Amino acid sequence: MAPALFVSHGAPSFALEPGLAGPALQALGANLKPKAVVIVSPHWMTRGGVAVTTGTHLETIHDFGGFAPALYQLAYPAKGDPALASEVMALLEKAGWPVVADPHRGLDHGAWVPLMHLYPKADVPVVAVSMPYPMDAKAALALGKALAPLRAQNVLVLGSGSLTHNLYEFRQHSLEDEAYVARFAAWVREKLATGDDAALVDLYNQSPDTRRAHPTNDHYLPLLVALGARRQGDAFGVLEGGITHGVLAMDSFLFGEAQ
């Protein structure tokens, strides 16, 4: 049984600046060898339904600008898994999601950057699932629930987002950690540890730091996808990631055992 995982992928520079989170993901990947990874990232959104990658090889998409030239030279040669993609599509259709196959789509940086740390040899096949737009918190949980049966096939269900994501403040290049970032990260961790899913869904009314931590919810929703794939009795684990760029909390969360 593979676990479900939420990863904070931070800025694209995370690929070259691993900080605390990179080694934590690498250590996890060394002990966790799933058959494949099914990943959801907010950098691939589709209107009207869900898209699924069905190609055998997934291109590395450099979907960002203004970063160090070295980042644009990086490649993550991930292999796809068309057979698994068909199973993913069937599960989503069974759960009532409109689904389309995308044989040409590669991996955006929200997918390949954390995967470079988790599986640096690119030796685990990957299937990417888009985030339907628009999508609210309850729908994100439902998407994760639809993907949950994959775990029994030793498939890692991975939501890649960011525990905090204020792009305006990120672009200010703050040199000091903002206090609200640590408060919000601690609030989320406490709610996850105590199983308070209702608060995590209603976060804009439950935490006074939410609107600053997430002016938009796109990078928060992958956490709820991973949470939706949780099973009753799953162990809860935290991968400490610290804070980068003053405003990006980098913690990741594991639901289930890494084995």
Side-chain angles (χ1 to χ4, degrees):
M1 173 76 68
L5 175 66
F6 167 75
V7 169
S8 290
H9 64 245
S13 53
F14 178 40
L16 296 175
E17 301 169 1
L20 295 175
L25 288 175
Q26 189 169 0
L28 175 64
N31 293 315
L32 175 61
K33 295 300 183 183
K35 180 179 77 171
V37 175
V38 170
I39 190 166
V40 176
S41 160
H43 296 283
W44 186 23
M45 294 185 180
T46 51
R47 288 187 177 273
V50 185
V52 178
T53 59
T54 57
T56 56
H57 292 84
L58 305 183
E59 173 192 358
T60 303
I61 304 173
H62 299 89
D63 52 338
F64 46 81
F67 289 89
L71 278 174
Y72 302 90
Q73 306 304 315
L74 294 177
Y76 187 77
K79 294 181 179 180
D81 188 332
L84 176 60
S86 294
E87 293 186 45
V88 171
M89 294 176 67
L91 285 172
L92 292 170
E93 288 173 343
K94 183 178 179 181
W97 294 93
V99 185
V100 296
D102 192 329
H104 306 296
R105 174 77 185 189
L107 295 180
D108 60 72
H109 79 271
W112 65 262
V113 169
L115 285 172
M116 284 189 76
H117 295 294
L118 191 61
Y119 298 114
K121 295 181 180 179
D123 54 354
V124 178
V126 181
V127 172
V129 175
S130 73
M131 272 179 38
Y133 180 85
M135 182 169 72
D136 62 15
K138 290 182 179 179
L141 276 176
L143 182 62
K145 185 176 181 179
L147 297 173
L150 297 168
R151 294 179 54 195
Q153 301 181 42
N154 196 29
V155 173
L156 175 65
V157 177
L158 199 165
S160 175
S162 193
L163 188 51
T164 58
H165 191 254
N166 188 316
L167 283 182
Y168 173 79
E169 293 187 357
F170 169 74
R171 290 170 181 144
Q172 303 310 300
H173 303 289
S174 173
L175 297 178
E176 296 183 4
D177 294 351
E178 294 285 354
Y180 82 89
V181 176
R183 285 199 308 269
F184 183 79
W187 181 85
V188 170
R189 185 187 299 198
E190 189 267 335
K191 298 304 178 185
L192 289 170
T194 58
D196 193 349
D197 294 1
L200 292 164
V201 168
D202 191 34
L203 74 162
Y204 283 95
N205 294 314
Q206 298 295 322
S207 168
D209 295 306
T210 300
R211 295 198 179 277
R212 194 171 172 192
H214 289 282
T216 60
N217 69 355
D218 52 307
H219 275 65
Y220 176 80
L221 293 177
L223 170 59
L224 297 183
V225 173
L227 182 62
R230 178 193 53 188
R231 290 173 173 247
Q232 186 174 4
D234 272 346
F236 170 62
V238 179
L239 281 68
E240 300 282 354
I243 298 172
T244 63
H245 303 285
V247 294
L248 295 178
M250 293 294 292
D251 291 345
S252 297
F253 304 115
L254 191 69
F255 306 97
E257 298 291 342
Q259 55 186 358

